[in-house]
């Protein structure tokens, strides 16, 4: 449930930033408050129309990312009890998945579970 909420938050931010547009007419954009200022050469600097909503989500998301990353700091790992000390280690399968390496087959006639990008596109 929590992962789905985090994914929803990330995809919401991505969708809003990608799809939100300001008016193409400069005067209309100025009247709507989309122009923040101008560059020294006179070109307008536009503001994303959904900045306020995205910033509220972005603050919480960045705090969560900071908290998650701090779990891997050496001083935090040292605080873990012995049975849990290897809980944050990555498995070889996960390392291979990140690197895009194919997974080894268990038997000669097995078909690979992880397909290459080209195989998935077919």
């Amino acid at each position: 449930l929590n992962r789905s909420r985090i994914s929803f938050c990330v995809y919401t931010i991505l969708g809003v930033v990608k799809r939100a547009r300001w008016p193409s007419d400069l005067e209309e954009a100025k009247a709507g408050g989309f122009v923040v200022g101008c560059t020294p050469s006179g070109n307008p600097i536009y503001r994303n129309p959904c900045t306020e909503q995205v910033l509220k989500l972005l603050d919480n998301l960045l705090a969560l990312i900071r908290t998650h990353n701090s779990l891997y700091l050496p001083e935090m790992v040292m605080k873990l009890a012995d049975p849990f000390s290897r809980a944050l280690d990555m498995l070889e399968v996960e390392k291979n998945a990140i690197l895009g390496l194919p997974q080894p087959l268990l038997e000669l006639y097995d078909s690979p579970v992880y397909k290459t990008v080209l195989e998935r596109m077919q």
Side-chain angles (χ1 to χ4, degrees):
L1 182 67
N2 290 334
R3 266 190 292 194
S4 65
R5 288 183 181 177
I6 294 169
S7 294
F8 177 74
C9 178
V10 170
Y11 289 126
T12 300
I13 292 171
L14 184 64
V16 165
V17 169
K18 277 185 163 183
R19 290 178 180 84
R21 301 278 183 248
W22 48 80
S24 57
D25 181 36
L26 181 59
E27 295 304 319
E28 188 177 338
K30 282 182 183 178
F34 294 108
V35 178
V36 178
C38 292
T39 62
S41 62
N43 295 327
I45 300 171
Y46 292 102
R47 177 182 64 85
N48 192 305
C50 298
T51 302
E52 292 179 34
Q53 291 81 5
V54 168
L55 286 179
K56 289 177 186 175
L57 288 173
L58 195 60
D59 286 340
N60 292 330
L61 182 65
L62 291 175
L64 179 66
I65 291 170
R66 269 191 304 274
T67 304
H68 184 265
N69 285 339
S70 69
L71 290 175
Y72 292 91
L73 293 175
E75 56 267 15
M76 294 303 288
V77 174
M78 298 282 283
K79 291 181 181 181
L80 289 174
D82 287 335
F84 301 108
S85 62
R86 298 194 50 155
L88 298 176
D89 290 347
M90 287 183 69
L91 301 172
E92 288 300 318
V93 175
E94 293 171 336
K95 291 177 186 176
N96 290 341
I98 289 171
L99 295 173
L101 300 174
Q103 301 301 316
L105 301 176
L106 299 176
E107 293 182 13
L108 184 60
Y109 299 107
D110 282 348
S111 61
V113 176
Y114 299 101
K115 298 180 179 178
T116 64
V117 175
L118 183 61
E119 290 171 337
R120 278 185 263 156
M121 287 175 39
Q122 299 299 325

